[in-house]
Amino acid sequence: MSKQEWPLYEVFIRSKAGLSHRHAGSVHAADDQMALDNARDTYTRRSEGVSLWVVRSDRIVASDPAESAAFFEPAEDKIYRHPTFYDIPDGVENL
Amino acid sequence: MYTQGLDQAGKDKQLASEAEDRLSAFQARVDAEEKIEAKDWMPEAYRRTLVRQISQHAHSEIIGMQPEGNWLTRAPSLKRKAILLAKVQDEAGHGLYLYSAAETLGVSRDQMVADLLSGKAKYSSIFNYPTLSWADIGAIGWLVDGAAIMNQIPLCRCSYGPYARAMVRVCKEESFHQRQGFDIMHALCSGSDKQKAMAQDALDRWWWPSLMMFGPNDSESKHSAQSMAWKIKRFSNDELRQKFVDVTVQQADFLGLSIPDDDLQFDDTTGHYTFGEIDWQEFLDVIAGNGPCNRQRLEKRKQAHDDGAWVREAAQEYALKQAARTAA
Amino acid sequence: MNSEQALNRYTLRLADNALILAQRMLELVAAGPELEEELANANFALDYIGQARMFYSYAAEREGQGRTEDDFAFMRDEHEFGNLLLLEQPNGHFGDALVRQFLFEIFYRHLLDALTQCADQRLREIAARAIKEVDYHCRHSSQWMIRLGDGTGFSHARVQASLDDAWRFTGEMFVADDVDKLMQDGFDGPDLAAIHALWRRDVGKVVAEATLDLPADEWMADGGKQGRHSEHFGFLLAEMQYLQRSFPGATW
């Protein structure tokens, strides 16, 4: 008989239509259906959601914090991507 | 060959200085109120401290279901029954959130549960006291949850992200717990003499154990200084205990109940209450396993775990079969 | 008994079913096989307590004698309760408790469905609310039946034994007595024979998927609806009613 614990699932909740799903926490479950039930019974007790996603934690591909400089810092000096970079001449509106 | 030892010494030195750099970079992040996330580098002692604290916290929630669960089948009205069940369920949920937070640090829930059941891991001493009357349910909500919330609110700002996020959820949900406890006490104190006596008896028994919940005096607390530096902890045990006494005395007055402490006095110069000495021997005994209900609480937990083994295994076996069928 | 009185009795039976099942489920708190299942059990028990309160409040209103939901729950004696025998049986192990939930919930779901079509507006409204909750319970208990039945050899044998053991309490659900008949004739109430067929279909489907065998319909116990309960029931009530009985008239 196996002694291993049930796999871990990450739970994402859409709190209302129009918003994206947001990470809420995790649950253990033996299978996908159970993961959905467990997420419902754990994380939506106070009407927190209208839609649920669950995904096995070991299926998530994540960036490595050790590489965060290479991943994210190159974006920092591309300030021309932000509208605040540009001066708008006085007298110009609705731009 | 001759220089092997020297090379090693040089390497050690280099490693040591690298480690020191990482440590000070880590501390700088904490000092700047940056959150530490699961996969970030962290000192081993920080990780160990968190695992210990978060799992203890989780265990306390889970064991804490028992004293209140003890009155679920006897709650005196359907409304009280529903409220109490919602509260005990929250405790299960909070245990779950906290185990999840600890799992991000690389320890499995199975391992944490095994440590609890073997007696290796600790949980809050308060849950080793018995609930002898319905008023105890009121006293637990009012005093124990009141004390807990004081401890927990600062944890929402803990430096470790997953713990802080779990605590935000916990604190949000717990906000009704203390109120429902006070509400029970209020109903009793507005009732018959017998009901009022029941309330006073509960306060008499739960007051001192509640003060013990904040842990040893600051002078005796071995983990405090480091935890403060790491911003796992924000206020000292004695600071929180003082705050608790200050607010609770006034609430007891409102109920018309008396706090069982002859030394309790308001100090005009400090603006705080001074109170009597806690029986630390009792605290140490309960922590060491010798409280009124220690064995009973663990035994019940163990029983549930053992009784559930075949169910957990069956579900796993079914999942394996399903996966094989899908693959075929 | 006229049909108005039958409706009162019928409403109380619905309330009693919900309350007594919830009471048994409360005994399972802090004893679940896994933390997540603990939360589910509490959710379902909360649903049942909520339903019991709605039915009792309606019964109290109909009676119009100043009794409250708590008077019905805590101040009546054994023979005044009309819950099914199945629901008052001791929990046993996880499989026993699961089978009880499963067999009742499939029945209850169809009963509520029929009640959403009955002639009494309040019952229709309560049933419409409750059925959403019970729909989810059915999903949960059906899935667990399948997991245990089609799980390990041990779990299969164990849940089969639970099913065989509980079967004798299912007959009562479908035997229409005077109250049921007056309810059906006077208020377009549930047709228990029709529900029996639906129940057999749904239970049979899950039992088959769980690789279990449907027990044969042999001797069936009855009496719960009419207030003749099993020995276990007195203890359940003694525990549940203890405070209200020890402090008559007190407010909590």
Side-chain angles (χ1 to χ4, degrees):
Chain A
M1 285 203 208
S2 65
K3 290 279 175 217
Q4 259 193 326
E5 65 184 3
W6 290 344
L8 194 65
Y9 284 75
E10 299 301 321
V11 177
F12 300 83
I13 303 177
R14 185 201 298 285
S15 57
K16 61 177 187 188
L19 298 179
S20 42
H21 287 76
R22 199 172 158 197
H23 186 238
S26 49
V27 289
H28 283 275
D31 57 58
D32 294 353
Q33 284 306 311
M34 194 200 284
L36 211 48
D37 279 24
N38 290 350
R40 181 258 192 197
D41 284 317
T42 303
Y43 290 102
T44 67
R45 290 174 290 134
R46 287 173 169 82
S47 316
E48 287 95 335
V50 296
S51 163
L52 273 176
W53 286 348
V54 291
V55 59
R56 265 182 72 150
S57 309
D58 57 13
R59 302 273 165 82
I60 289 182
V61 184
S63 64
D64 179 353
E67 289 183 290
S68 71
F71 257 72
F72 306 114
E73 282 177 23
E76 284 173 14
D77 62 0
K78 314 288 195 294
I79 49 177
Y80 43 79
R81 283 194 172 121
H82 301 280
T84 46
F85 175 74
Y86 302 92
D87 288 330
I88 300 169
D90 288 342
V92 177
E93 285 170 20
N94 301 321
L95 191 68
Chain B
M1 271 180 77
Y2 296 112
T3 56
Q4 199 182 23
L6 284 176
D7 286 352
Q8 193 55 47
K11 209 174 169 194
D12 282 351
K13 214 169 163 187
Q14 193 198 335
L15 283 175
S17 100
E18 271 178 29
E20 226 163 84
D21 287 350
R22 283 214 284 197
L23 210 58
S24 52
F26 175 83
Q27 189 62 49
R29 288 187 67 192
V30 171
D31 291 343
E33 298 286 338
E34 266 185 54
K35 293 286 181 223
I36 307 301
E37 293 296 339
K39 291 188 165 175
D40 294 348
W41 183 86
M42 62 186 80
E44 196 41 41
Y46 177 82
R47 180 189 303 274
R48 271 205 312 271
T49 301
L50 279 170
V51 168
R52 199 190 65 235
Q53 181 172 333
I54 302 172
S55 61
Q56 268 186 27
H57 195 162
H59 299 328
S60 300
E61 297 281 357
I62 298 308
I63 296 289
M65 296 168 70
Q66 290 184 41
E68 288 173 284
N70 185 36
W71 281 86
L72 279 170
T73 55
R74 293 177 290 171
S77 73
L78 295 180
K79 187 178 112 192
R80 293 282 182 211
K81 207 186 247 309
I83 293 172
L84 183 60
L85 177 56
K87 177 172 191 283
V88 173
Q89 184 196 39
D90 275 348
E91 282 152 16
H94 298 168
L96 199 158
Y97 306 157
L98 290 161
Y99 282 129
S100 299
E103 284 174 277
T104 63
L105 292 159
V107 55
S108 71
R109 190 157 100 191
D110 262 5
Q111 184 56 52
M112 290 184 273
V113 170
D115 287 347
L116 170 68
L117 298 183
S118 73
K120 189 177 151 204
K122 302 290 178 213
Y123 56 86
S124 178
S125 56
I126 194 80
F127 302 118
N128 291 312
Y129 291 88
T131 49
L132 303 177
S133 78
W134 172 250
D136 288 25
I137 301 307
I140 288 185
W142 174 38
L143 301 173
V144 175
D145 289 294
I149 204 90
M150 284 197 173
N151 249 314
Q152 289 174 346
I153 284 177
L155 288 171
C156 297
R157 294 189 293 131
C158 163
S159 61
Y160 186 58
Y163 190 23
R165 290 193 289 275
M167 289 315 301
V168 168
R169 191 174 276 274
V170 168
C171 287
K172 217 157 118 191
E173 296 187 356
E174 282 215 353
S175 50
F176 90 87
H177 292 188
Q178 191 188 10
R179 286 187 187 181
Q180 67 85 35
F182 190 80
D183 193 51
I184 290 174
M185 295 305 267
H186 191 213
L188 291 172
C189 292
S190 318
S192 66
D193 288 350
K194 262 174 94 179
Q195 284 177 298
K196 198 163 176 185
M198 193 193 273
Q200 181 64 53
D201 170 61
L203 173 58
D204 290 347
R205 281 179 293 108
W206 289 91
W207 174 253
W208 290 105
S210 298
L211 294 192
M212 293 176 198
M213 280 178 73
F214 294 93
N217 286 134
D218 294 347
S219 53
E220 307 289 325
S221 181
K222 57 181 180 179
H223 302 296
S224 277
Q226 183 60 74
S227 287
M228 295 273 233
W230 279 333
K231 299 196 195 290
I232 294 174
K233 202 170 168 165
R234 300 265 175 177
F235 298 98
S236 78
N237 295 351
D238 286 334
E239 281 171 329
L240 290 169
R241 187 165 18 238
Q242 183 66 54
K243 204 173 151 200
F244 174 75
V245 172
D246 288 344
V247 302
T248 311
V249 171
Q250 185 262 331
Q251 292 161 359
D253 284 346
F254 175 87
L255 292 172
L257 296 175
S258 51
I259 303 269
D261 179 357
D262 294 337
D263 297 326
L264 189 78
Q265 256 181 347
F266 189 72
D267 183 337
D268 283 322
T269 50
T270 61
H272 294 294
Y273 282 92
T274 54
F275 49 95
E277 188 60 32
I278 289 168
D279 181 352
W280 291 112
Q281 190 53 50
E282 176 180 325
F283 175 71
L284 294 174
D285 284 344
V286 176
I287 290 284
N290 296 314
C293 300
N294 296 54
R295 281 156 217 244
Q296 177 189 333
R297 300 283 187 250
L298 268 192
E299 208 41 60
K300 165 130 187 171
R301 203 60 237 147
K302 231 154 127 176
Q303 184 80 43
H305 189 74
D306 293 348
D307 288 350
W310 70 279
V311 177
R312 294 190 299 273
E313 280 159 15
Q316 256 174 334
E317 185 62 29
Y318 173 74
L320 286 175
K321 284 188 194 174
Q322 276 297 85
R325 281 175 206 142
T326 316
Chain C
M1 183 166 46
N2 61 32
S3 59
E4 288 295 329
Q5 289 163 329
L7 180 56
N8 293 358
R9 289 273 292 277
Y10 195 84
T11 307
L12 278 178
R13 285 180 184 180
L14 290 168
D16 293 343
N17 278 342
L19 177 63
I20 300 309
L21 180 55
Q23 182 70 8
R24 281 295 185 215
M25 295 170 80
L26 291 176
E27 296 169 10
L28 295 171
V29 169
E34 192 54 282
L35 208 39
E36 283 82 356
E37 193 54 30
E38 194 73 67
L39 281 135
N41 176 63
N43 273 343
F44 305 161
L46 280 171
D47 289 342
Y48 284 125
I49 296 172
Q51 291 170 22
R53 294 183 66 187
M54 289 190 281
F55 287 127
Y56 281 135
S57 299
Y58 182 41
E61 253 174 66
R62 286 190 55 85
E63 189 189 61
Q65 294 182 9
R67 283 208 277 184
T68 64
E69 56 176 30
D70 286 335
D71 292 327
F72 284 115
F74 298 102
M75 302 308 282
R76 282 182 307 151
D77 295 332
E78 278 173 74
H79 68 272
E80 295 171 276
F81 277 78
N83 58 281
L84 297 166
L85 295 174
L86 176 67
L87 306 180
E88 70 200 42
Q89 299 309 306
N91 287 317
H93 56 68
F94 183 84
D96 293 331
L98 172 69
V99 163
R100 177 191 64 204
Q101 305 291 120
F102 169 69
L103 293 174
F104 171 69
E105 282 165 350
I106 301 277
F107 158 73
Y108 189 37
R109 199 217 159 276
H110 287 299
L111 190 78
L112 289 171
D113 198 25
L115 284 171
T116 60
Q117 312 292 325
C118 78
D120 186 78
Q121 193 196 340
R122 287 289 296 281
L123 278 190
R124 277 204 311 272
E125 286 167 2
I126 300 174
R129 260 180 80 174
I131 199 169
K132 292 179 199 151
E133 296 169 345
V134 178
D135 255 342
Y136 183 81
H137 299 187
C138 287
R139 167 193 155 97
H140 191 86
S141 55
S142 298
Q143 280 182 14
W144 266 111
M145 285 298 292
I146 294 165
R147 286 189 195 104
L148 294 188
D150 193 17
T152 60
F154 182 82
S155 70
H156 176 90
R158 208 166 204 198
V159 77
Q160 180 69 59
S162 304
L163 189 59
D164 294 344
D165 196 43
W167 200 254
R168 68 186 191 279
F169 295 113
T170 59
E172 189 189 14
M173 301 193 282
F174 308 106
V175 178
D177 68 357
D178 287 351
V179 174
D180 291 313
K181 284 175 192 149
L182 284 165
M183 183 65 200
Q184 191 183 351
D185 297 342
F187 296 95
D188 285 331
D191 171 358
L192 290 180
I195 289 178
H196 195 183
L198 293 169
W199 179 83
R200 275 202 88 92
R201 181 197 67 191
D202 292 353
V203 167
K205 203 168 151 246
V206 173
V207 164
E209 198 180 336
T211 71
L212 296 166
D213 295 321
L214 218 51
D217 284 332
E218 287 170 2
W219 178 82
M220 291 288 178
D222 69 355
K225 291 203 275 195
Q226 295 80 27
R228 294 190 310 280
H229 292 277
S230 47
E231 285 185 349
H232 312 292
F233 192 55
F235 292 94
L236 181 150
L237 281 196
E239 187 173 335
M240 183 170 81
Q241 299 181 333
Y242 140 75
L243 273 176
Q244 288 267 357
R245 301 276 189 172
S246 319
F247 295 81
T251 308
W252 303 93

